[in-house]
Amino acid sequence: MVAFIVLSLLTAVRYIAYVLAIVACFFSTSPLLHAGDGVAADDELIVIQLKWRHQFQFAGFYAALEQGFFADEGLRVELRERDPSHNIIDLVLDKEVHYGISDSVLLLHAANEVPIILVAAIMQQPANALMTMASSHVRHPKDLLGRRISFYENDSDGLDILALLAEQGIHRSQLIRTDWSIRLDELIAGNVDAVSIYTSNEPFRMREMGHEVNIIYPQHFGISLYGDILFTHRDEAQQNPERVAAIRRAVIRGWHYALDNKEELVELILEQYNSQQKSRAALLYEADAIEALIARRQFELGHLDAARVDFIVRQMQRLNLLNRDVSGRERLIFRGQTNYALTLTNEEREFLESLKTIRFAAEVGGWPPLEMLRADGSFEGIAADYMKLLSDILNVRFEVVAFNDWQEILDSAKRRDIDLLPAAVSTPDRRQFLNFTAPYVRSPSVVVTRIERDFVADLNLLAGEKTGVVDGYASDEMMSRYYPHLNVQRYPYTEAGLLALASGEIDYFVENLAVASHIIKSQGLSNLKIAGQTPYTFDLSFGVRRDWPLLASALDKALASMTAQEHADIYQRWVQLEMTQHFDVRRLWLPAAIILFIMTLLVIYLQRLRTLNRVIQIAHDQLEQAEQRLREKNSLLEEVSITDKLTGVFNRHHLDQILSDHFAHAKRYERHLSVVIFDLDHFKNVNDTHGHQVGDHILQAFAQTVMGCIRNSDVFGRWGGEEFLLICPETDADQAVQVAEKIRTQFAHLTLAGLPKTTVSAGVADDSNAETLHELIGQADKQLYAAKSAGRNQVHPLKT
């Protein structure tokens, strides 16, 4: 009997350990840290070959260069723009460049035993897809049988497209190697039926041109490969492993900065890297698309998984894209060091020596198991263990300051009354007054509810319900920012919110998975369960007052110097504490009947947990599907919200937003900006004489005429009625007059079957004499009135 009891208890403990291992926070060995100076002792110029021409796809590399992250590692780096006629992989193999960016097509070359090493996966999903015209009704891969498919000029890209075609039985003889510059024109003209694209670029361009398209995503049909991968020659990895590690750290650090400051990087690209002459709107669209492909909230940025590489290889072999096995797949991935010697700069050492104490904030009660402030003033938890190590590594002294609630802590951090937050999530609002280290703890954000309620696949399903969060926490900021329509109840700390949930005061509670699981178990809230996962995670970092950047960089380096075993020891210490803290081994001496009763309850509980795990997996799958549907609906809604339904060009609401951005940019950087207001002459007479349907055709014809005359950087839309607005960045009034005159002339000579001849008048103004946006529009409107008064069918510039 005793043996049975012991065995049952051990089984229960093992299962609870398994559950905690899944739900507990994950420790980051993020390489966003410095290894010290002098990696390239000979001051060699390191060349990184970009995968394409300059755009947001490489924003992390720009940030690493411009923010000095490469320089911090002792590296001189040149970013080289792509020449489409050259194969990137060949450039690295021939040692014409040190590093390159490609995708999973690297595995095809590895099968041919070429000496390449994969350094970091920038994108966890590829951006490649196939695009067709909506009017062609080609919506599925099977529809491509016998069709003409425009593909890349060489084999440096597009393995996922090749895999999709192979999976669907489409022969590669259908591929047409087309120059990138004419590929979209070929699709629009009907010379090809589908084109390979980057989802972050071409769909936006087609929408700007007024074309409806259909996108065929390989991942929707079972092809899930890596996207952009940083790689190098095997000789580089073997001869200069420290330099490879330094490049990797700087690049990943740059990508975190770029994604945290997307608008800033867009401005940088517009000013220094805009060789493609992309618009600001196009770059912002690309930024959001690239962030989704990087998926840094789900995966550690740069992570390459050997098991996933193995799966991709087997999939490629099954599709006959690989003729032989890739031997030693594990050796394809650069491992290098997982921790680095602490090397502080003189400035960092001097700053640390100048600090008597570093005051950090802790909330009474805390956030177990991450941080807990005991009644006796002692600070414990995962964050506390890290701070003890950091104190020894950096020879600094930390001093705890107690607060009653989190909002008080944030207010105090804004005033710089405290110096550090030991376990904080980096959010846009907090980055205004704090610098954040690389995350050292990761845990997903989940929805908790009572046991009788259904699982939640989408936070929008909580509409009409009472949903709790901790006041001022990242979950509160996330809900306020992205789900303002929900009924959110705020609580001073997590335990209060979960107790309110258990008692029926609220219906759901959003919290960090590790914290929620800890409190549910420690408080015995057996009527609560995890009901779903949000799209967000708690990536916990040290938040340092913004005027102390040297402390933030020193903490980053200290975290990097910790060994993997030190990270694991902290994790295991608190996981084991949670497994044993509430189990009293003296229960084994209780009467056998009581023990058997307890074990029966445990067995029932464990069985319920197994069932819940299966249901959670199902809910997770449903969540992914729902997220995809939501993205598709959001994309459609975005297009509808900014487009004039009749003419297909931008509407007044979107023009107001873009014009405001361009005007602010022009004034800030002292750049030219011109606007042109067009008005169709005697348009009321056209409607009264010929009917509104004829008038609509004329409006559409004018919009098409303008779109054929303007540059990619210009923005055109319907201002209202028969008035249209053209925004011309980097353009003075004289240049804008030339554009407007070209449009007026072409429209005046336009002959439309069955439609009356119509002309247009235009008023032009630039920002040289306009201090406000209202003045600029007023001056253009005044010139339009002058053009009409002078007899119409003419362009009037602002006289300066």
Side-chain angles (χ1 to χ4, degrees), residues 12-191:
V13 170
R14 281 197 302 269
Y15 191 83
I16 293 172
Y18 168 75
V19 172
L20 286 175
I22 293 176
V23 303
C25 47
F26 297 97
F27 289 84
S28 168
T29 56
S30 174
L32 308 179
L33 311 166
H34 302 169
D37 300 328
V39 175
D42 56 0
D43 201 28
E44 180 181 359
L45 179 64
I46 307 302
V47 179
I48 300 177
Q49 176 62 63
L50 302 181
K51 190 179 180 183
W52 190 240
R53 294 167 183 161
H54 289 308
Q55 54 189 5
F56 198 92
Q57 181 182 355
F58 312 111
F61 294 87
Y62 308 146
L65 189 63
E66 301 295 335
Q67 294 298 317
F69 301 153
F70 286 128
D72 288 348
E73 299 285 357
L75 298 164
R76 288 197 310 121
V77 171
E78 174 189 331
L79 304 177
R80 186 166 295 176
E81 196 173 27
R82 172 79 178 276
D83 179 349
S85 64
H86 292 164
N87 186 307
I88 298 172
I89 300 171
D90 289 342
L91 292 175
V92 174
L93 293 175
D94 295 339
K95 299 186 179 179
E96 295 184 30
V97 298
H98 297 82
Y99 298 83
I101 304 169
S102 188
D103 54 32
S104 294
V105 76
L106 289 162
L107 298 177
L108 296 185
H109 293 263
N112 294 324
E113 299 181 356
V114 297
I116 58 175
I117 294 294
L118 312 183
V119 178
I122 305 302
M123 297 181 188
Q124 295 295 321
Q125 293 290 338
N128 289 314
L130 289 171
M131 183 169 70
T132 65
M133 301 299 292
S135 57
S136 71
H137 304 294
V138 177
R139 300 181 178 277
H140 303 283
K142 287 294 185 184
D143 298 335
L144 293 169
L145 284 169
R147 303 276 188 164
R148 299 156 299 174
I149 304 171
S150 178
F151 195 64
Y152 297 101
E153 295 176 78
N154 55 56
D155 293 327
S156 293
D157 310 276
L159 178 61
D160 46 344
I161 302 296
L162 295 176
L164 173 65
L165 299 178
E167 181 74 53
Q168 300 294 323
I170 299 172
H171 200 271
R172 291 177 68 173
S173 62
Q174 295 179 220
L175 299 181
I176 301 172
R177 304 284 183 166
T178 310
D179 183 83
W180 186 266
S181 62
I182 65 171
R183 194 172 301 169
L184 294 187
D185 293 334
E186 291 285 280
L187 178 66
I188 295 170
N191 296 330

Side-chain angles (χ1 to χ4, degrees), residues 655-712:
L655 286 174
D656 285 338
Q657 179 180 351
I658 293 178
L659 183 57
S660 178
D661 290 344
H662 278 298
F663 187 80
H665 180 273
K667 289 302 182 183
R668 179 179 180 183
Y669 297 101
E670 298 182 353
R671 315 293 290 187
H672 286 299
L673 174 69
S674 294
V675 296
V676 183
I677 299 179
F678 294 97
D679 188 277
L680 297 183
D681 297 328
H682 303 297
F683 191 72
K684 184 178 184 301
N685 293 338
V686 173
N687 280 335
D688 293 343
T689 304
H690 301 279
H692 287 278
Q693 188 172 9
V694 170
D696 290 347
H697 287 312
I698 292 175
L699 292 173
Q700 293 168 343
F702 177 68
Q704 292 172 4
T705 300
V706 175
M707 294 304 294
C709 296
I710 62 177
R711 305 164 298 179
N712 289 337

